[in-house]
Amino acid sequence: MKKIFYFMLTACVLMNISCEKDFLDVQAPSSVDNDFVFGSPEEATKVLAGLYDIWHDLDKNLYYDVMSVGSDSEHHPEPYSAQSRHIPMGLFPVPYNINDGNALNTWNEGYQIINKANSIIEAVEGKAEFQDAVAAGTPNAWTQLYGEALCHRATNYKLLISYFGDVPYFDYPVRTQAQTDTLGYTVRDKIYDKEIAALKKIAPLMYPLGGNLTAERFSGTYAYYLTGRLAFDAAGYQLRRTDFDYGSISFDQWGQENSTWNAKYVRNSNWQSYMQTAKEYFLKTVNNSGTAHLIETDGRGAKFDNPFQRNFQYLLDLEVSPESLFEAGYTRTQNSDWPYSWGRPSGGAGSNDHPNKCYGQGRINPYYVYGDFDPSDKRRDVTACFTGNTGKAGEILMSWARGNREKGGFCTNKFDEARMSDPYIPRQRQSGVNWQQVRMGEVMLDLAYAAAATGDEATAKTYFKKVRARAFSAADQATKVNAYVDGMSGQALLDGIEQELKLETGGEGKRRWDTILFGTFPKHIQEMRDNMRAMIAGLAADGYYTFPNGVQISNYIFTKKVKIKDVDPTLDLLTYQTPAGLNESDPRYPVLVPGWRGTNNGWADYLATLSPVLQNNHIAQRGMFRYIDPASAEGLALLADGYQLSDWGINLVKNAAEYTDNFFLGYPDGSYAAGVPPRYIMPIAYVVLSTSNGLLTQGYGHASE
C-alpha cells in the first residue's frame, strides 16, 4: 500500500560508491555523499527509503523457501520431488546446492542494509542536533532517523542469525576491503548483546506509532519490540557448531551432539536473564504502543463480529492495520508476493482476470485445521479455506492432490485478492497489499511466554487471555478463555501459550522459528507425522476420521455450485459473517460454513457476461466437518438435491507419503526419540567462503564448494 512518501531514488541516494570486491559484497556512500544526503532530516529519510526498498525484496527470499512452509502447521503444495527448496525446508535429507540464489541474496542484501545503516548511524552521530537531543533525553527528527537505521541493522542481524547461525558482525561503515581482511564469524550471543544494548539507548528517543509515523516505518514502538525479540531469540534453543569456539559461554543441551556434521541443539545457560529482558521490553512495547493496539472489536456493523479477521481486512483494503507494529509497504505496480504466494489461490491468467493467477505457496496442514482449532474458534476459517478462486469470479474446491493453485490442500485465507475492496486486475503480483510483519497479537503472546518462563504467571495469563478472548464469542468466554487459561501452570502454561501462538499466526510463517527457539521443533515434527498417519489410516479404513475435539474429516464431501443470491438475496459471502451457532438445517448453512470465502461483489457485471453455468459461482458444501454416509438417508437426500460427491480426504490417502514421510524428510522417524538435533541452518555460498581469506568455514555438514 505504501501511502507514505517512499519512492525510487536517484543513483546518488541509492549509494552507488562500492568498496572493493570481498566476501561481504557491501556498498557504502563516500563521505561527500554523506554530507549531501544528510544535510537535513528530509534528505536522510530518502536514504532510509532505499533501505526499506531493499528489505522488501530481501526477506521474501528464504521466507518463501523455508519459513513460511516448513512447520507443523504450514507446508508447500507441490510434491517433494518438484522443488529443490524442499531440501532446506525438509532439514537437508540430501546435499544441497550451496550457491542457492535465495540464500546468497539474503546474505548479500542483509549485509548491504547493515552497512548502509552503519553509514547513516555514523553520519547522524556527528550532528549537533542529534547530540543535543541525546543529552536532553528528548526525541527529535535526528534521533528518530538514527533509531530507524539501528532497527534496520538489528533486524537484519536477527534475520541472518536465524538462517546462518553465527555470522560476521560489524557496527561501522565498511568502505575498503582492508576493513574486512580480519573479519570472521562473531558468536551470535555477542551480536545479540551489542544490538540489544544499542536499541535500549535509542528506543526512548524515537517516536511511538501515531500521526505521520505509520507502521510502514520503524518506530519507537517497534524498537522496544525488537529489543525484546532479540532477547527472546537469544534465550532460545538454536543449532550450534561443535567445531567453533564459543569462549566462556555455557549451554543447556537438548538431545545429542551430531558428530557427523558437528552440531548440537542448545540454549545459552544464561537464558533466563535474556528472557527477563524480553519480558521487560515486550511490556514496554504494549505500554508505549502509540496508536497500535490489539483489535478487540470489529466495528464494521451488525453483520460482523470477528476482530481477528478485521485485522487482515485492513490490509486488503490497502490501509495500515492499527494492530501493526511494522508492515513492509508496497505500492500497486510494484512486484509483491502478497497475496500471490500467501493468499487464496486463483486459476486466473496473469492479467485482466478475476482475480489474476495466485500460486498459493503457503498451505495449511489438515490436522492443524481439523484437530488443533476448537470448532468455535473464530480464527479457523480466517486462517484456512477449502475453496480457491477459479479466476472467473467463482469458487473452486481445493484438492489434496499435490500441485499448485487449486491443488495442495487448504490454502491460507488471510490474504485473498477477491476480498479486496478494489481488486487490482491489470497484472498479477501487483496488488499493493502490505506484508504485515509484526502485529500486537503475537507481541502479547511473546510477552505471555516470556512472563511464564520467568515465573510471572499472572502477567502471562493476563495477555494470554487478552489475545484468546477475541477468538471466541461472549458465551464462550467463561469456559474457553478464563477457565481454559486459569487451569494452566508451569510447563503446561508454556505449552498452552506456544499452542496459542500456533493458532494465532497460522499461515504467517512464524511457527517454524518459534518452535526452533522453544526447543520443541523435533517433537512437533514427530507429532505431526504421527497425527497425519493416524488420520490417513482412519480415512483409508473407515472413510472418515474423528479428531479428539469431535470434528470429522471424510474421504468425500457433498458439493454443488449455486448462485448465492438464489440461496438468500441478502447474502454476500465477502461482507457477511457466518452467524454464531448456525444450524445445519438452516438453508444458508452450506454456503456460510466454512466462512470467509466467496467472490467479489464488484464482479457482478463480469459474471453476467459468462455462461449460465459459470454464473453458479459459489460452492455449497455438506460434510466438511461431519461425516455423512453417502448411502444414508441424509446422503441420498443430498444427492437428490443436486449435490455430488467430491474427492476430499481420499486424496490424502492417495498421497499419504507426501503428507507423512516426505514432511521433513531430513528428520525421519526415530530422530526425535534419539535426540538428533534438527539441521535447519542454511549453507554459506562458495563465493562467500572463497573470498573470506579462510576466515569463514562451512559448518553443519554442508559442502564447501
Side-chain angles (χ1 to χ4, degrees):
M1 178 199 69
K2 205 188 293 188
K3 289 186 176 177
I4 56 176
F5 51 83
Y6 291 142
F7 47 82
M8 293 304 294
L9 306 168
T10 64
C12 167
V13 174
L14 284 175
M15 308 175 180
N16 61 340
I17 307 299
S18 301
C19 64
E20 296 177 58
K21 181 69 176 178
D22 69 294
F23 76 92
L24 288 176
D25 193 25
V26 294
Q27 295 178 317
S30 70
S31 59
V32 173
D33 288 327
N34 275 347
D35 290 341
F36 172 74
V37 300
F38 302 142
S40 69
E42 291 74 22
E43 292 295 334
T45 301
K46 294 177 183 178
V47 178
L48 275 171
L51 270 64
Y52 285 104
D53 281 336
I54 297 173
W55 174 253
H56 296 164
D57 174 68
L58 160 66
D59 197 27
K60 289 187 298 187
N61 292 314
L62 292 182
Y63 175 88
Y64 185 95
D65 282 359
V66 177
M67 286 296 184
S68 69
V69 289
S71 77
D72 61 335
S73 58
E74 301 142 333
H75 67 88
H76 191 272
E78 298 191 53
Y80 173 80
S81 60
Q83 299 281 354
S84 62
R85 68 172 66 102
H86 293 163
I87 297 173
M89 183 184 78
L91 305 182
F92 302 99
V94 296
Y96 186 61
N97 173 20
I98 68 168
N99 295 313
D100 168 69
N102 279 349
L104 183 58
N105 287 342
T106 297
W107 178 279
N108 286 340
E109 292 182 347
Y111 277 112
Q112 286 177 23
I113 291 179
I114 287 166
N115 200 40
K116 292 173 181 180
N118 284 335
S119 296
I120 295 171
I121 289 168
E122 179 188 69
V124 174
E125 284 177 338
K127 296 291 182 182
E129 299 96 323
F130 170 79
Q131 296 166 6
D132 291 344
V134 171
T138 304
N140 69 7
W142 290 109
T143 60
Q144 169 63 30
L145 292 167
Y146 183 96
E148 286 185 69
L150 185 54
C151 285
H152 273 292
R153 187 179 78 189
T155 298
N156 276 271
Y157 275 125
K158 177 187 182 301
L159 183 81
L160 290 170
I161 290 170
S162 71
Y163 290 125
F164 301 104
D166 305 292
V167 295
Y169 178 80
F170 55 98
D171 55 3
Y172 50 83
V174 172
R175 295 188 174 91
T176 67
Q177 182 175 337
Q179 290 177 278
T180 66
D181 282 344
T182 60
L183 191 61
Y185 289 119
T186 298
V187 174
R188 70 193 74 172
D189 311 81
K190 295 181 179 179
I191 299 175
Y192 286 134
D193 289 345
K194 293 202 72 170
E195 294 303 291
I196 288 169
L199 286 165
K200 282 182 176 180
K201 293 179 181 178
I202 198 60
L205 297 175
M206 296 176 69
Y207 299 128
L209 281 170
N212 292 327
L213 184 61
T214 76
E216 290 179 316
R217 289 174 63 182
F218 294 140
S219 62
T221 308
Y222 178 82
Y224 281 121
Y225 158 77
L226 183 57
T227 307
R229 187 65 209 207
L230 287 173
F232 195 83
D233 285 16
Y237 284 90
Q238 297 185 35
L239 199 63
R240 307 265 187 158
R241 293 172 63 166
T242 56
D243 58 349
F244 188 81
D245 183 8
Y246 286 97
S248 61
I249 300 171
S250 62
F251 300 104
D252 299 337
Q253 184 168 319
W254 179 93
Q256 307 298 318
E257 291 184 7
N258 189 304
S259 58
T260 302
W261 32 274
N262 299 320
K264 56 188 178 182
Y265 188 38
V266 297
R267 65 179 173 184
N268 191 309
S269 296
N270 193 34
W271 68 271
Q272 285 186 312
S273 176
Y274 284 113
M275 199 61 87
Q276 188 65 43
T277 298
K279 172 194 164 184
E280 176 187 354
Y281 276 83
F282 288 148
L283 277 170
K284 287 179 182 288
T285 304
V286 298
N287 292 329
N288 295 273
S289 60
T291 54
H293 61 272
L294 185 75
I295 300 173
E296 298 178 84
T297 57
D298 196 316
R300 287 178 288 182
K303 292 181 179 181
F304 296 95
D305 184 24
N306 195 326
F308 181 75
Q309 194 278 334
R310 181 69 184 103
N311 166 70
F312 300 100
Q313 192 62 47
Y314 276 111
L315 306 176
L316 294 169
D317 291 342
L318 302 187
E319 298 177 15
V320 174
S321 170
E323 185 159 327
S324 295
L325 272 68
F326 178 65
E327 298 179 10
Y330 291 90
T331 55
R332 289 191 160 175
T333 74
Q334 178 185 14
N335 280 342
S336 164
D337 278 302
W338 285 265
Y340 177 86
S341 295
W342 294 286
R344 196 160 157 239
S346 173
S351 60
N352 298 313
D353 228 330
H354 301 79
N356 295 323
K357 175 187 174 183
C358 175
Y359 166 53
Q361 157 83 351
R363 299 301 173 91
I364 306 297
N365 289 342
Y367 199 96
Y368 169 52
V369 176
Y370 279 98
D372 284 358
F373 280 100
D374 184 294
S376 57
D377 191 325
K378 297 178 184 180
R379 295 171 293 195
R380 185 190 67 184
D381 295 351
V382 179
T383 300
C385 195
F386 82 108
T387 65
N389 295 300
T390 63
K392 303 298 178 185
E395 286 190 285
I396 186 170
L397 180 67
M398 303 300 293
S399 167
W400 290 105
R402 301 294 265 167
N404 60 62
R405 301 198 193 190
E406 82 280 2
K407 296 179 180 179
F410 278 128
C411 55
T412 56
N413 201 29
K414 292 176 176 177
F415 299 99
D416 177 7
E417 288 193 68
R419 199 179 301 283
M420 297 180 71
S421 56
D422 178 26
Y424 187 71
I425 298 302
R427 189 171 179 82
Q428 68 181 27
R429 253 181 164 139
Q430 296 184 352
S431 66
V433 174
N434 280 0
W435 177 12
Q436 186 180 51
Q437 296 190 333
V438 184
R439 58 184 178 84
M440 194 59 76
E442 64 184 280
V443 174
M444 288 182 172
L445 288 175
D446 285 349
L447 167 56
Y449 192 93
T454 54
D456 183 0
E457 294 196 352
T459 297
K461 291 180 179 182
T462 295
Y463 288 97
F464 188 173
K465 289 179 182 179
K466 194 172 182 67
V467 176
R468 186 172 174 84
R470 70 171 176 180
F472 292 93
S473 67
D476 288 331
Q477 294 295 309
T479 56
K480 296 185 177 182
V481 179
N482 295 328
Y484 176 84
V485 173
D486 288 337
M488 299 177 184
S489 186
Q491 186 60 47
L493 179 58
L494 288 169
D495 293 344
I497 298 167
E498 179 185 342
Q499 177 69 5
E500 200 68 21
L501 275 163
K502 182 181 183 182
L503 299 173
E504 180 74 12
T505 62
E508 297 177 56
K510 310 285 186 177
R511 175 70 174 172
R512 181 182 174 103
W513 183 239
D514 277 350
T515 56
I516 288 171
L517 294 176
F518 295 150
T520 57
F521 192 39
K523 178 182 74 171
H524 291 310
I525 291 172
Q526 190 62 57
E527 284 179 343
M528 178 197 67
R529 194 179 287 133
D530 291 344
N531 287 337
M532 293 286 286
R533 284 179 178 143
M535 178 188 69
I536 290 172
L539 288 167
D542 303 318
Y544 66 94
Y545 177 77
T546 304
F547 295 86
N549 61 7
V551 175
Q552 293 178 317
I553 184 173
S554 307
N555 279 341
Y556 305 97
I557 60 173
F558 296 80
T559 68
K560 71 174 177 179
K561 286 293 193 75
V562 299
K563 292 181 182 179
I564 189 67
K565 299 297 184 182
D566 289 347
V567 176
D568 183 334
T570 69
L571 290 184
D572 168 0
L573 293 189
L574 290 183
T575 59
Y576 193 102
Q577 180 177 310
T578 306
L582 185 67
N583 191 280
E584 286 195 51
S585 63
D586 191 307
R588 300 172 299 168
Y589 181 92
V591 293
L592 290 181
V593 177
W596 300 111
R597 56 187 175 93
T599 190
N600 193 284
N601 284 343
W603 294 334
D605 291 343
Y606 169 76
L607 272 170
T609 69
L610 302 178
S611 69
V613 172
L614 291 177
Q615 290 177 30
N616 291 340
N617 63 331
H618 290 92
I619 290 180
Q621 72 78 28
R622 294 295 303 275
M624 177 60 62
F625 300 117
R626 178 179 65 85
Y627 173 64
I628 301 174
D629 185 346
S632 69
E634 182 181 11
L636 293 173
L638 287 170
L639 293 172
D641 191 33
Y643 284 86
Q644 65 180 22
L645 280 178
S646 297
D647 289 356
W648 188 240
I650 190 63
N651 280 326
L652 289 168
V653 177
K654 292 177 180 178
N655 294 273
E658 289 287 348
Y659 289 99
T660 54
D661 297 350
N662 288 356
F663 274 6
F664 298 102
L665 194 60
Y667 204 76
D669 288 342
S671 299
Y672 168 58
V676 176
R679 183 164 58 148
Y680 65 87
I681 295 286
M682 295 294 296
I684 306 296
Y686 174 74
V687 67
V688 175
L689 298 174
S690 63
T691 54
S692 70
N693 298 323
L695 294 170
L696 303 184
T697 59
Q698 193 73 275
Y700 310 102
H702 296 305
S704 294
E705 57 180 292

